[in-house]
Amino acid sequence: PSEVRTPSQVRGLETSGRTPITGPLHQAQAQRMPWPRVLSVSHAIWPLLLTTEAPVRCLARFRRSVDLIIGEQIVALVVPSLRNGPFHIVVERLPEPPCGGAGSVVWGRAGLQLGTWTLLLADSFVLWDPRPRWRALRLAAGSLARVTAIVNREARRLSSPFAAPAPSLAQRVVTLSAALRAASGGALREAAAGLAGWGPGLTPAGDDFLAGVMLGLWFADVDTAAWVCEQLYAGAALATTSLSRAFLRAAAAGLADERWHDFLAVLGDPDAHGLDHAVKEVVSFGASSGFDMLSGFLWLTAQRQYLSC
């Protein structure tokens, strides 16, 4: 569950011995620039922020987010409208200047320094748990049919290759289906490599589909999901981008963003209250990434009777 910590608790219990923030802090004070407040942090990246002084560099900046690399880990600063995610730090607004530049993770009395940026901890910020309660989730009768109908309507307005699969894509999906039935590590890795990096998008469509398949595996059977997802991730990791690897790594570990938490929870509602809204929230992520992920999830759910691993 998510956990609320006050800044004093964090500093008192978990950041003793950290190097105080010096120059950049005073420079910001001199310019009278208020520092953005941290509203929530994913539990999955919290240990990284507490225990490392690894270098920080800026990967890319967008209108509502900034992707950083801390050591080997992607960390995204996002505004509240993008909500919590497996490697998100949610801030009330993005810091200035446009990119944090080189630097390291440093804790000080005022807050957290990432590169040349200083972030304050909100009075009550949340450590958000990106792992759904997989064993408690259920699928109510009729929910999947309603989801499929909504997705089919949404497909008409999207240019995703999964909205109208081409023969080359269909063959890749057939290969993945055969690998799942065979429960062979080698076949799973090969099938994932065939999808990884395929298609358009900042995170390629094939990667998004695979991420949805992984979440579907966790939803279908927690006891077998870890091994299957490990094989899929191993096959995909070297065939795609660093940002896609971060999403795939999170999905392989059974981690999902807040939109997916809401969607998975409402699947178990016999009356499907809020299902339309939850599906549209998932689909709205990115240009077509949300749609592609949900396509993978629905495809896997339809394949679940074939899983023997």
Side-chain angles (χ1 to χ4, degrees), residues 139-150 266-272 275-276:
L139 180 63
S143 291
L144 204 59
R146 284 191 57 187
V147 172
T148 302
I150 298 167
V266 81
L267 282 178
D269 181 357
D271 299 318
L275 186 59
D276 286 40

Side-chain angles (χ1 to χ4, degrees), residues 260-297:
W260 275 88
H261 283 237
D262 294 345
F263 165 69
L264 292 166
V266 81
L267 282 178
D269 181 357
D271 299 318
H273 294 304
L275 186 59
D276 286 40
H277 176 73
V279 172
K280 289 176 181 177
E281 280 287 292
V282 168
V283 171
S284 70
F285 182 75
S288 63
S289 288
F291 176 86
D292 297 335
M293 280 189 69
L294 191 50
S295 297
F297 178 88

Side-chain angles (χ1 to χ4, degrees), residues 235-254:
L238 297 180
T240 190
T241 65
S242 58
L243 183 58
S244 269
R245 275 196 300 274
F247 281 106
L248 288 168
R249 186 185 304 116

Side-chain angles (χ1 to χ4, degrees), residues 19 55 93 100 104 122-123 127 135 179 203 218 224 262 267 285 292 302:
T19 306
R93 58 180 173 78
S104 60
D123 289 339
L127 287 179
R135 293 187 185 278
T203 55
W218 282 98
T224 63
D262 294 345
L267 282 178
F285 182 75
D292 297 335

Side-chain angles (χ1 to χ4, degrees), residues 16 25 34 65 89-90 110 123 159 163 189 225 235 250 293-294 306:
S16 58
L25 199 102
S65 65
I89 299 175
V90 181
D123 289 339
S159 58
R189 293 191 293 273
M293 280 189 69
L294 191 50
Y306 299 119

Side-chain angles (χ1 to χ4, degrees), residues 30-143:
Q31 296 174 349
R32 296 185 178 180
M33 293 174 62
W35 306 308
R37 292 180 303 165
V38 176
L39 305 178
S40 60
V41 178
S42 167
H43 214 292
I45 62 169
W46 184 243
L48 174 72
L49 298 179
L50 290 176
T51 61
T52 184
E53 291 186 359
V56 177
R57 61 187 178 92
C58 185
L59 182 63
R61 183 179 179 110
F62 306 95
R63 185 171 60 86
R64 296 187 294 169
S65 65
V66 179
D67 291 335
L68 304 173
I69 298 181
I70 301 179
E72 301 295 324
Q73 170 71 50
I74 297 282
V75 173
L77 297 184
V78 304
V79 297
S81 61
L82 290 185
R83 307 179 68 181
N84 289 296
F87 45 89
H88 285 186
I89 299 175
V90 181
V91 291
E92 59 185 353
R93 58 180 173 78
L94 295 182
E96 296 291 344
C99 225
S104 60
V105 179
V106 180
W107 283 92
R109 292 184 179 181
L112 173 65
Q113 184 176 334
L114 293 178
T116 58
W117 285 330
T118 300
L119 305 175
L120 300 179
L121 299 181
D123 289 339
S124 291
F125 83 104
V126 172
L127 287 179
W128 182 77
D129 188 354
R131 181 178 299 280
R133 300 175 185 273
W134 291 111
R135 293 187 185 278
L137 293 172
R138 299 291 181 268
L139 180 63
S143 291

Side-chain angles (χ1 to χ4, degrees), residues 158-185:
L158 292 172
S159 58
S160 164
F162 287 97
S168 61
L169 172 59
Q171 183 54 53
R172 295 167 198 263
V173 175
V174 167
T175 300
L176 178 59
S177 179
L180 289 168
R181 290 196 299 270
S184 160

